[in-house]
């Protein structure tokens, strides 16, 4: 170790100590952050009116050109004279409806949140290589009341419910189903008058102008699924409606919910796989899209079964009914952001090792340029020092004795402080991608 006079040694000692305390304080304060699917018509004293939309959640599985749509039902909250009408863009002959006594239930972790947690872990691991930040890391985790780790999976729990569907063509019933206390029919209607006639034949006193929302669907040759509670009160055990139909892209009927008054209810749409909803301006600011990964192997007959872990997308629409001016279409394309986030979640050690090597090299290069830029040995020693500097601060101290002939203490102090700054900044910047 090259000797400095005592005055210079004291100056550098103060510089290193004050720099270490400053970085530690910065670290302590541093943190990485964290259904309108159909139309419900029910009876009142003055006749038939639009009822409250009690459907809150739905689940969609899209594979091989077939969409499977489930919407949950709560018969206890529904009036016995209520009718649920749902439009679907498919030929009625290709639509298969079913009433479910059980509904799927999945849980998993939020991919973006888990990625931020892993980046926080990587940050702490990088800082720990410099040894002295270990104490503030410990204090931070102790004060926050938790060490490294994510939120409980129970917080990410997602219940998935069900929905029926239909198309519009002629007043022809293609399927009639009575099951679990529910009656469901798949039909086509050529005009709104035809749909009106269909409802009145069921004993419903519906005014002709009470279903104008479906005229646009009829013009586009949609089909319809109409369902209501059956006559037997003892057998009302239905918990969901499932509808399978061919589709080019994922479809969810939001527009029928636009007729409701008030603020409406949140629409929670859970889609198997990682997808990209095509949000139109009226609902974009009021819609949140989150991506999850489940460690459990799902199994729900005739809906979704897999022999491996799977991911899913949860779309929450909180727009007021008057904002539901269009139906929702969803692309089956996985966002690049989620692909990269899941790579971090599945391989955090690899990313941490890559960042360690890159940060070590740049920190060594900058420290050498600042301290040793006039030395002819700098180019050769930067390579050697970059390698040994990956082995914690102890490696840096040993490497400086091997590769440097002068200014060793100053280089160690400069490298360590630059490394800590990079270790704080780089993971933070990456984590901003997953806000």
């Amino acid at each position: 170790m090259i000797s400095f006079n005592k005055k210079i040694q004291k100056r550098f000692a103060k510089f290193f100590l004050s720099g270490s305390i400053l970085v530690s304080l910065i670290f302590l304060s541093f943190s990485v952050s964290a259904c309108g699917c159909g139309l419900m018509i029910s009876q009142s004293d003055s006749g038939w009116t639009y009822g409250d939309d009690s459907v809150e959640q739905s689940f969609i599985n899209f594979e091989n050109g077939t969409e499977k749509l489930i919407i949950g039902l709560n018969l206890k909250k529904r009036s016995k004279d209520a009718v649920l009408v749902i439009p679907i863009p498919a030929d009625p002959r290709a639509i298969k409806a079913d009433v479910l006594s059980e509904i799927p239930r999945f849980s998993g972790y939020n991919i973006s949140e888990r990625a931020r947690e892993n980046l926080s872990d990587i940050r702490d691991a990088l800082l720990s290589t410099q040894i002295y930040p270990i104490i503030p890391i410990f204090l931070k985790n102790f004060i926050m009341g938790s060490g490294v780790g994510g939120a409980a999976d129970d917080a990410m729990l997602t219940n998935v419910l069900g929905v029926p569907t239909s198309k519009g063509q002629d007043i022809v019933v293609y399927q009639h189903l009575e099951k679990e206390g529910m009656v469901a029919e798949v039909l086509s209607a050529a005009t709104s008058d035809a749909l009106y006639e269909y409802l009145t034949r069921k004993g419903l006193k519906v005014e002709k102008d009470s279903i104008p929302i479906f005229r646009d669907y009829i013009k586009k040759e949609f089909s319809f699924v109409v369902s209501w509670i059956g006559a037997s009160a003892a057998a009302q055990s239905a918990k969901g409606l499932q509808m399978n139909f061919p589709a080019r892209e994922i479809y969810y009927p939001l527009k029928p919910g636009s007729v409701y008054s008030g603020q409406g209810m949140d629409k929670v749409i859970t889609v198997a796989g990682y997808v990209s909803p095509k949000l139109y301006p009226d609902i974009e600011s009021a819609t949140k899209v989150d991506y999850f990964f489940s460690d459990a192997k799902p199994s729900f007959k005739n809906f979704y079964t897999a022999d491996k872990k799977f991911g899913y997308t949860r779309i929450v629409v909180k727009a007021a009914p008057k904002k539901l001016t269009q139906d929702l279409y969803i692309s089956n394309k996985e966002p690049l952001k989620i692909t990269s986030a899941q790579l971090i979640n599945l391989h955090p050690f690899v990313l941490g090792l890559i960042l360690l090597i890159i940060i070590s090299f740049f920190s060594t290069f900058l420290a050498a340029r600042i301290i040793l830029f006039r030395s002819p040995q700098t180019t050769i020693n930067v390579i050697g020092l970059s390698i040994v500097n990956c082995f914690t601060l102890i490696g840096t101290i040993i490497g400086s004795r091997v590769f440097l002939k002068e200014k060793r203490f100053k280089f160690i102090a400069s490298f360590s402080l630059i490394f800590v700054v990079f270790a704080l900044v780089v993971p933070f910047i990456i984590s901003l991608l997953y806000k």
Side-chain angles (χ1 to χ4, degrees):
M1 192 77 176
I2 296 177
S3 60
F4 294 89
N5 59 52
K6 292 183 178 180
K7 189 174 182 179
I8 294 177
Q9 286 182 346
K10 288 182 179 180
R11 183 179 301 173
F12 280 120
K14 290 180 180 179
F15 167 76
F16 184 77
L17 180 60
S18 61
S20 300
I21 294 173
L22 177 62
V23 171
S24 299
L25 292 174
I26 292 174
F27 179 78
L28 277 172
S29 63
F30 185 90
S31 63
V32 181
S33 62
C35 165
C37 58
L39 177 60
M40 179 65 66
I41 306 175
S42 58
Q43 192 176 32
S44 67
D45 293 338
S46 58
W48 288 82
T49 60
Y50 298 120
D52 293 332
D53 183 6
S54 60
V55 177
E56 297 181 1
Q57 297 193 52
S58 59
F59 195 94
I60 299 173
N61 180 29
F62 183 80
E63 56 184 355
N64 301 323
T66 298
E67 179 173 340
K68 299 177 181 179
L69 179 59
I70 294 179
I71 291 181
L73 302 172
N74 189 340
L75 299 188
K76 293 181 180 180
K77 292 184 178 181
R78 293 196 187 280
S79 170
K80 291 184 179 181
D81 53 25
V83 179
L84 181 62
V85 184
I86 300 177
I88 294 297
D91 189 305
R93 292 166 293 189
I95 300 172
K96 302 298 180 185
D98 193 14
V99 179
L100 307 177
S101 60
E102 296 293 337
I103 55 175
R105 185 178 177 88
F106 296 101
S107 64
Y109 63 78
N110 186 301
I111 290 176
S112 294
E113 291 182 2
R114 182 63 62 87
R116 293 198 298 269
E117 292 167 1
N118 281 322
L119 286 167
S120 178
D121 295 348
I122 291 171
R123 177 200 66 199
D124 290 351
L126 291 173
L127 290 170
S128 296
T129 64
Q130 300 308 295
I131 300 176
Y132 56 88
I134 291 178
I135 294 178
I137 290 174
F138 173 79
L139 292 176
K140 176 183 74 75
N141 290 333
F142 178 78
I143 293 172
M144 292 178 65
S146 63
V148 180
D153 285 351
D154 289 343
M156 309 299 176
L157 197 61
T158 303
N159 292 329
V160 285
L161 312 174
V163 85
T165 75
S166 291
K167 176 185 174 180
Q169 269 185 340
D170 223 326
I171 193 59
V172 177
V173 176
Y174 291 85
Q175 182 183 1
H176 178 89
L177 177 67
E178 297 185 21
K179 185 179 178 182
E180 310 294 344
M182 286 290 295
V183 180
E185 291 185 347
V186 179
L187 61 89
S188 62
T191 64
S192 58
D193 287 340
L195 185 58
Y196 164 76
E197 293 294 336
Y198 167 78
L199 294 175
T200 56
R201 283 200 303 269
K202 299 298 178 183
L204 309 178
K205 296 180 180 179
V206 184
E207 296 296 331
K208 285 188 176 181
D209 294 333
S210 65
I211 51 174
I213 193 69
F214 295 114
R215 289 173 182 168
D216 289 340
Y217 292 107
I218 292 173
K219 291 178 181 178
K220 297 176 183 178
E221 298 186 345
F222 274 55
S223 298
F224 296 93
V225 163
V226 180
S227 61
W228 61 93
I229 297 175
S232 176
Q236 293 174 5
S237 58
K239 293 185 178 180
L241 287 168
Q242 177 171 340
M243 199 69 203
N244 299 352
F245 57 94
R248 294 184 178 179
E249 60 181 338
I250 302 170
Y251 164 82
Y252 187 83
L254 279 178
K255 189 175 178 181
S258 63
V259 303
Y260 298 128
S261 59
Q263 295 299 315
M265 298 184 69
D266 295 352
K267 287 78 180 171
V268 182
I269 309 163
T270 306
V271 186
Y274 305 132
V275 298
S276 303
K278 301 177 181 179
L279 304 176
Y280 53 92
D282 286 338
I283 66 170
E284 187 171 8
S285 61
T287 302
K288 183 179 181 181
V289 183
D290 288 308
Y291 299 86
F292 296 84
F293 184 78
S294 176
D295 292 322
K297 295 179 181 179
S299 180
F300 194 78
K301 187 178 179 181
N302 299 325
F303 180 70
Y304 188 72
T305 302
D307 296 328
K308 58 183 179 180
K309 302 173 183 179
F310 76 108
Y312 57 94
T313 306
R314 187 175 63 188
I315 306 166
V316 181
V317 182
K318 296 185 177 182
K322 64 180 180 180
K323 298 290 186 179
L324 305 179
T325 56
Q326 302 177 35
D327 289 324
L328 180 63
Y329 288 89
I330 304 169
S331 170
N332 204 29
K333 183 178 180 182
E334 178 177 337
L336 180 61
K337 163 185 169 181
I338 297 305
T339 303
S340 61
Q342 192 62 347
L343 283 175
I344 294 175
N345 295 333
L346 297 177
H347 308 287
F349 176 80
V350 175
L351 176 62
L353 183 60
I354 292 173
L355 289 180
L356 174 63
I357 295 172
I358 293 174
I359 292 176
S360 177
F361 174 81
F362 280 103
S363 299
T364 302
F365 177 78
L366 290 176
R369 292 285 294 177
I370 294 171
I371 308 302
L372 307 169
F373 69 96
R374 291 185 178 179
S375 174
Q377 65 175 358
T378 301
T379 302
I380 299 175
N381 289 343
V382 164
I383 298 174
L385 282 172
S386 295
I387 296 174
V388 297
N389 286 343
C390 292
F391 297 95
T392 75
L393 186 61
I394 297 175
T396 303
I397 295 173
I398 296 174
S400 66
R401 294 183 62 86
V402 174
F403 292 102
L404 299 179
K405 298 178 181 178
E406 58 182 358
K407 300 181 179 179
R408 295 170 180 168
F409 181 78
K410 193 173 182 179
F411 171 81
I412 294 170
S414 299
F415 167 82
S416 184
L417 292 176
I418 294 171
F419 184 96
V420 166
V421 171
F422 274 129
L424 288 171
V425 172
V426 174
F428 173 73
I429 292 176
I430 297 175
S431 71
L432 294 178
L433 298 174
Y434 309 114
K435 288 285 189 180

